[in-house]
Amino acid sequence: MKSVSIHTVGCKLNYSESSYISRQFTEKGVELKPFGEKTDIFILNTCTVTAQADRECRQLIRSVLRNNPDTFVVITGCYAQLRPNEIAEIDGVDLIFGSDDKFRIIDYLFGEQKDTLSCIDKKPSGKTDIIISSLNGGGFIGEAYSSDVDSRTRAFLKIQDGCDYNCSFCTIPLARGKSRSLALEKVIENAQKIIDYGYKEIILTGVNIGDYSDESGNTFFNLLCGLNKLNISRIRISSIEPNLLNADILNLVKTSDKFCNHFHIPLQSGSPEILNLMRRRYNVNLYEELINKISEIIPEAGIGVDVIIGFPGETDYHFNETYDFINSLTVSYLHVFSYSERPDTRSVGLPMKVSTFDKKVRSKKLRELSEVKKSSFYKINEGKYAEVLFETEKNGYIEGWTGNYVRTRIKADVKMENEIFKVKLLKSEGIKPVECEIIK
Ligand code: SF4
């Protein structure tokens, strides 16, 4: 039996696609092995959102080839889509597939035979086949969702791909193309498959999920209403643009017993001038009003915020605007990113680059603020009752998330894995997982 290992760098969307590709192989009788084990085929699903991601992908490829020079190496994903020649410079890479082409790797490797892996003989040194389709060719969108090949307890469900926004720092529209959505019926069908695999939580994923709109004109809200009818314990909306999170969605989350009261909403900057330079589709007032509306409609909601520091032109004054703005908001945690210049994006030409030193200082300050926000959010939840989906046992404890995204833990009892229990949250300790007790 031939074997394959598939490794992923990057976002939830990439993980859902790697899972889909893994299942394509197992359904063809190819053994799936964990990353690091010797295999006949190695597939890397890459990311290119930062220069660091590119570096990490190159290092991964080289380490696999060092440990197993005979493995047939296939590279796909966003980095492959945009800079295939850079990857092909690494001797030993056999095949490079673009973002949309990743769903055809299986057919290519099985070739005409269809029942045996006939196309996995190592290419001669320095020879790499590159298969990159243009992305905006016809609205193709590869479906993807977590499946039983995964060891996780929370499943990713791809609903949308690509993006029509043009944020000046972002390379994703270049790597994944225009916004396109899976038909609502297809999403529901895939969600049902996830439920049949035994998952208790579905996380909706894509590039700009709030911009969901299928060929029948179904909107993101329509899709949520459709998913709300399924027999699933929890549905979590992953990252959603602030200008796309409307009152209908908030009220559905409020009234539904399935949608998690947790929102992750990119802000990127709290400085009006920098937001403009970023070409984001909202201003700080809209963002503030949205956070206040969420606190009004769903007071117990967990709210996560993405923020980029070190964007060209960001002075101490602009950074302090961002810091003070976020500090004034009722949010629960931050994801802090350092600006990374990406080729062919609009911000490349902008003057006043921020030094690495200033980026480090600012990033540290915001991470500290995130800890303050998170620990006060955990404090507010002390003594509250919640439902927790427990994941896997670790060091005698088992951890899991509440619906509103409080990390909890309890002394492990194996039958708790992948089960939802009603708990009472006990004393919190900073940002450590909050101890809890089961409510019978
Ligand atoms: S919304 Fe902006 S940051 Fe997000 S994927 Fe689209 S272009 Fe990139």
Side-chain angles (χ1 to χ4, degrees), residues 15-57:
Y15 278 92
S16 70
E17 292 170 341
S18 295
S19 169
Y20 187 81
I21 295 168
S22 306
R23 204 180 49 264
Q24 287 180 313
F25 278 88
T26 54
E27 284 173 356
K28 285 255 189 185
V30 181
E31 184 188 2
L32 187 64
K33 287 190 175 177
F35 175 62
E37 287 197 18
K38 279 192 186 308
T39 52
D40 300 294
I41 307 162
F42 169 71
I43 300 176
L44 181 63
N45 193 2
T46 63
C47 169
T48 193
V49 84
T50 61
Q52 170 52 31
D54 290 0
R55 263 195 306 280
E56 188 188 337
C57 293

Side-chain angles (χ1 to χ4, degrees), residues 49 162-174 206-208 239 241 243-244 266 268 278-282 308:
V49 84
C163 186
D164 295 342
Y165 288 18
N166 296 306
C167 305
S168 58
F169 55 82
C170 186
T171 195
I172 300 172
L174 301 171
V207 171
N208 192 347
S239 186
E241 292 296 310
N243 51 304
L244 298 173
Q268 309 307 16
M278 288 177 164
R279 299 171 69 96
R280 297 289 285 160
R281 295 195 178 194
Y282 52 87
I308 295 174

Side-chain angles (χ1 to χ4, degrees), residues 208-369:
N208 192 347
I209 64 172
D211 200 30
Y212 178 92
S213 156
D214 74 2
E215 283 173 3
S216 318
N218 288 303
T219 64
F220 186 53
F221 179 68
N222 300 143
L223 177 71
L224 297 183
C225 294
L227 291 166
N228 198 33
K229 298 189 186 102
L230 293 175
N231 179 20
I232 178 80
S233 306
R234 304 210 306 196
I235 304 170
R236 199 177 293 274
I237 297 171
S238 65
S239 186
I240 183 167
E241 292 296 310
N243 51 304
L244 298 173
L245 184 50
N246 59 38
D248 288 343
I249 297 170
L250 294 179
N251 287 317
L252 176 63
V253 171
K254 166 96 180 155
T255 52
S256 157
D257 60 355
K258 296 197 175 78
F259 285 101
C260 296
N261 42 8
H262 167 219
F263 302 96
H264 194 90
I265 312 168
L267 168 68
Q268 309 307 16
S269 177
S271 156
E273 197 181 333
I274 299 297
L275 268 184
N276 257 342
L277 288 172
M278 288 177 164
R279 299 171 69 96
R280 297 289 285 160
R281 295 195 178 194
Y282 52 87
N283 57 29
V284 287
N285 302 336
L286 179 148
Y287 197 93
E288 186 173 21
E289 279 159 25
L290 174 62
I291 300 300
N292 294 343
K293 196 187 317 177
I294 295 173
S295 309
E296 187 196 307
I297 296 176
I298 315 171
E300 73 284 4
I303 302 175
V305 177
D306 284 343
V307 59
I308 295 174
I309 53 92
F311 187 80
E314 183 189 73
T315 61
D316 285 346
Y317 171 77
H318 298 121
F319 173 72
N320 292 334
E321 281 185 307
T322 294
Y323 188 97
D324 296 344
F325 179 68
I326 296 173
N327 198 19
S328 72
L329 298 174
T330 318
V331 294
S332 327
Y333 64 92
L334 313 180
H335 285 173
V336 183
F337 303 92
S338 274
Y339 170 76
S340 173
E341 187 172 277
R342 304 312 302 148
D344 309 318
T345 55
R346 290 163 189 268
S347 60
V348 164
L350 290 175
M352 292 174 66
K353 307 287 182 212
V354 177
S355 71
T356 308
F357 175 79
D358 285 343
K359 283 182 184 173
K360 278 212 176 86
V361 171
R362 291 170 189 173
S363 173
K364 184 167 177 296
K365 280 190 180 158
L366 280 182
R367 288 176 201 283
E368 286 162 359
L369 178 60

Side-chain angles (χ1 to χ4, degrees), residues 12 26 80-81 91 122 146 175 189 213 235 326 367 382:
K12 295 183 177 75
T26 54
Q81 176 72 31
D91 200 18
K122 282 295 287 175
S146 299
E189 187 192 312
S213 156
I235 304 170
I326 296 173
R367 288 176 201 283
E382 276 181 5

